[in-house]
């Protein structure tokens, strides 16, 4: 199959408007919010019809061109237009589309993206010299069935929720003030001896764009004295909601409010949302906590390639790989 590719950001916007299967973090409006003019997209055509896309963020660092993804963006990577082909023919079609997208990328020294968990075939990229590391997220499915969700919770999570409600009389409310959530978020990082890894302006841009689309929930757990115990920020698209950010007051950690605010975030999603994605974590205590909600472990791929021999041996590659865009 002969495919053609071009980089065309405005065409990609039109594709996002027409294709509901493109994930949230690959949507043009999301990329506008988190990357401004720094993003573009490879588009693959077959016989004049669009069959696949690959958005990316282009940065220049230390004289190198880096194609990656921005902060607060769980995944970015190729999308292949669904077909009704049989499995062998669909796989052959996917192979050709993914290969064309890989070859259609502009010249770069380093490429690294976390692919959406639905994209499980990276073999055409492997054939072109890319590498892959498996990572994990945690997902709840069928979140419209509250009773089934409650039964999946481990005992410690159910205990936290009851304690927060009954002993501390904590209630969860929505807020339009993202700074209230960010303060709780900052406290959590500070307790870990880390600074906030993203700016207030970045979060505000995301919030503005998501609010216009009714695609976010900003939730705060407060006690009768109006003290904020914990918060959660949720974004969604299609049938999936994502736990983007959260945090809590370290002095009030024992109240169980963190579990309560997440429980309320999960069970109060719109009817069309069927999946809740905790965005995973490779940090063991966080993984254990998400798993306690009954969530299913789901693998996703971090695909990368270094085309510069100099960069392969440079210490800055580790900084780039760790910090993203």
């Amino acid at each position: 199959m002969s495919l053609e590719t071009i980089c065309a950001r405005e065409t990609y916007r039109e594709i996002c408007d027409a294709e509901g299967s493109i994930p949230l973090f690959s949507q043009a409006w999301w990329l506008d919010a988190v990357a401004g003019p720094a993003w573009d997209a490879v588009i693959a055509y077959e016989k004049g019809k669009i069959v696949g896309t690959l958005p990316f963020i282009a940065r220049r660092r230390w004289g190198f061109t880096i194609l990656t993804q921005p902060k607060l963006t769980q995944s970015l990577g190729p999308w292949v237009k669904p077909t009704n082909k049989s499995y062998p023919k669909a796989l052959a079609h996917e192979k050709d589309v993914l290969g064309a997208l890989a070859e259609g990328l502009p010249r770069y020294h380093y490429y690294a993206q976390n692919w959406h968990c639905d994209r499980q075939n990276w073999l055409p990229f492997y054939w072109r010299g890319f590498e892959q590391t498996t990572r994990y997220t945690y997902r709840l499915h069928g979140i419209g069935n509250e009773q089934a969700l409650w039964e999946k919770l481990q005992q410690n999570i159910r205990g936290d929720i009851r304690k927060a409600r009954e002993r501390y009389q904590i209630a969860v409310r929505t807020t339009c003030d993202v700074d209230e959530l960010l303060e709780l978020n900052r406290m959590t990082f500070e307790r870990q001896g880390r600074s906030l890894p993203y700016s207030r302006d970045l979060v505000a841009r995301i919030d503005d764009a998501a609010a216009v689309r009714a695609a976010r929930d900003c939730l705060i757990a407060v006690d009768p004295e109006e003290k904020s115990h914990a918060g959660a920020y949720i974004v969604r698209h299609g049938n999936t909601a994502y736990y983007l950010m959260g945090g809590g007051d370290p002095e009030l950690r024992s109240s169980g409010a963190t579990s309560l605010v997440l429980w309320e975030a999960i069970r109060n999603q719109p009817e069309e949302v069927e999946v809740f994605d905790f965005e995973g974590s490779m940090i063991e205590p966080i993984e254990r906590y998400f798993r306690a909600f009954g969530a299913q472990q789901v693998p996703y791929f971090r695909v990368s390639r270094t085309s510069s021999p100099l960069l392969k041996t440079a210490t800055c590659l580790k900084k780039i790989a760790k910090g993203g865009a």
Side-chain angles (χ1 to χ4, degrees), residues 125-140:
F125 277 68
Y126 170 79
W127 290 328
R128 288 162 175 82
F130 290 75
E131 299 178 343
Q132 180 268 122
T133 301
T134 302
R135 296 185 175 184
Y136 297 94
T137 186
Y138 281 81
R139 290 187 144 202
L140 283 170

Side-chain angles (χ1 to χ4, degrees), residues 202-316:
L202 172 60
V203 174
R205 291 197 304 271
I206 292 173
D207 188 59
D208 289 344
V212 168
R213 294 165 176 82
R216 65 96 162 96
D217 301 316
C218 189
L219 305 175
I220 306 292
V222 298
D223 63 22
E225 297 179 354
E226 285 297 310
K227 289 182 179 179
S228 297
H229 285 233
Y233 192 92
I234 313 299
V235 288
R236 57 180 165 265
H237 173 75
N239 73 340
T240 306
Y242 300 85
Y243 177 36
L244 189 69
M245 296 180 295
D249 187 330
E251 296 183 0
L252 303 173
R253 291 179 68 198
S254 63
S255 70
T258 299
S259 296
L260 175 61
V261 77
L262 270 175
W263 170 248
E264 293 295 326
I266 294 165
R267 75 182 193 90
N268 286 312
Q269 287 303 309
E271 185 176 351
E272 66 270 16
V273 175
E274 301 172 355
V275 179
F276 188 89
D277 192 321
F278 286 88
E279 286 210 9
S281 178
M282 302 299 282
I283 301 172
E284 187 173 1
I286 300 176
E287 181 273 344
R288 183 169 59 246
Y289 182 68
F290 289 162
R291 177 163 35 90
F293 278 83
Q296 177 184 355
Q297 185 187 77
V298 179
Y300 66 92
F301 300 146
R302 180 169 179 82
V303 178
S304 62
R305 182 171 182 264
T306 307
S307 61
S308 165
L310 176 62
L311 189 55
K312 285 181 180 180
T313 60
T315 57
C316 59

Side-chain angles (χ1 to χ4, degrees), residues 16-303:
C16 289
D17 290 339
E19 296 288 347
S21 62
I22 294 178
L24 167 66
F25 299 111
S26 292
Q27 288 288 317
W29 70 263
W30 182 273
L31 296 172
D32 285 337
V34 295
W39 72 272
D40 207 335
V42 183
I43 301 172
Y45 292 85
E46 180 191 13
K47 297 178 181 178
K49 295 183 178 180
I50 294 169
V51 292
T53 62
L54 176 51
F56 58 87
I57 310 301
R59 307 286 195 196
R60 289 286 295 177
R61 290 192 174 181
W62 301 292
F64 297 107
T65 298
I66 313 299
L67 304 184
T68 182
Q69 63 194 60
K71 296 181 184 297
L72 288 177
T73 299
Q74 182 196 45
S75 62
L76 201 61
W79 168 83
V80 178
K81 186 177 177 64
T83 72
N84 294 321
K85 299 177 185 290
S86 65
Y87 178 75
K89 290 183 178 179
L91 196 60
H93 172 75
E94 183 179 70
K95 174 184 77 71
D96 290 339
V97 174
L98 290 174
L101 292 172
E103 293 175 2
L105 287 167
R107 294 185 63 180
Y108 61 89
H109 298 98
Y110 180 66
Y111 164 94
Q113 289 183 333
N114 297 334
W115 288 10
H116 190 273
C117 60
D118 288 345
R119 179 60 52 208
Q120 290 292 298
N121 178 16
W122 74 283
L123 193 55
F125 277 68
Y126 170 79
W127 290 328
R128 288 162 175 82
F130 290 75
E131 299 178 343
Q132 180 268 122
T133 301
T134 302
R135 296 185 175 184
Y136 297 94
T137 186
Y138 281 81
R139 290 187 144 202
L140 283 170
H141 298 266
I143 65 173
N145 188 336
E146 185 175 331
Q147 182 59 38
L149 285 177
W150 181 259
E151 291 172 357
K152 288 180 181 179
L153 298 177
Q154 290 189 7
Q155 184 175 356
N156 63 311
I157 301 297
R158 289 199 296 266
D160 278 348
I161 294 170
R162 292 191 182 105
K163 178 172 62 173
R165 284 174 171 167
E166 298 168 10
R167 186 189 307 177
Y168 292 94
Q169 298 180 15
I170 291 174
V172 176
R173 59 173 172 79
T174 61
T175 179
C176 294
D177 184 4
V178 73
D179 286 324
E180 190 173 5
L181 184 282
L182 266 178
E183 177 59 18
L184 293 165
N185 190 222
R186 182 196 61 77
M187 289 182 185
T188 296
F189 279 99
E190 191 174 77
R191 177 176 59 83
Q192 299 168 352
R194 303 162 59 196
S195 58
L196 205 63
Y198 34 80
S199 68
R200 191 264 177 200
D201 286 344
L202 172 60
V203 174
R205 291 197 304 271
I206 292 173
D207 188 59
D208 289 344
V212 168
R213 294 165 176 82
R216 65 96 162 96
D217 301 316
C218 189
L219 305 175
I220 306 292
V222 298
D223 63 22
E225 297 179 354
E226 285 297 310
K227 289 182 179 179
S228 297
H229 285 233
Y233 192 92
I234 313 299
V235 288
R236 57 180 165 265
H237 173 75
N239 73 340
T240 306
Y242 300 85
Y243 177 36
L244 189 69
M245 296 180 295
D249 187 330
E251 296 183 0
L252 303 173
R253 291 179 68 198
S254 63
S255 70
T258 299
S259 296
L260 175 61
V261 77
L262 270 175
W263 170 248
E264 293 295 326
I266 294 165
R267 75 182 193 90
N268 286 312
Q269 287 303 309
E271 185 176 351
E272 66 270 16
V273 175
E274 301 172 355
V275 179
F276 188 89
D277 192 321
F278 286 88
E279 286 210 9
S281 178
M282 302 299 282
I283 301 172
E284 187 173 1
I286 300 176
E287 181 273 344
R288 183 169 59 246
Y289 182 68
F290 289 162
R291 177 163 35 90
F293 278 83
Q296 177 184 355
Q297 185 187 77
V298 179
Y300 66 92
F301 300 146
R302 180 169 179 82
V303 178

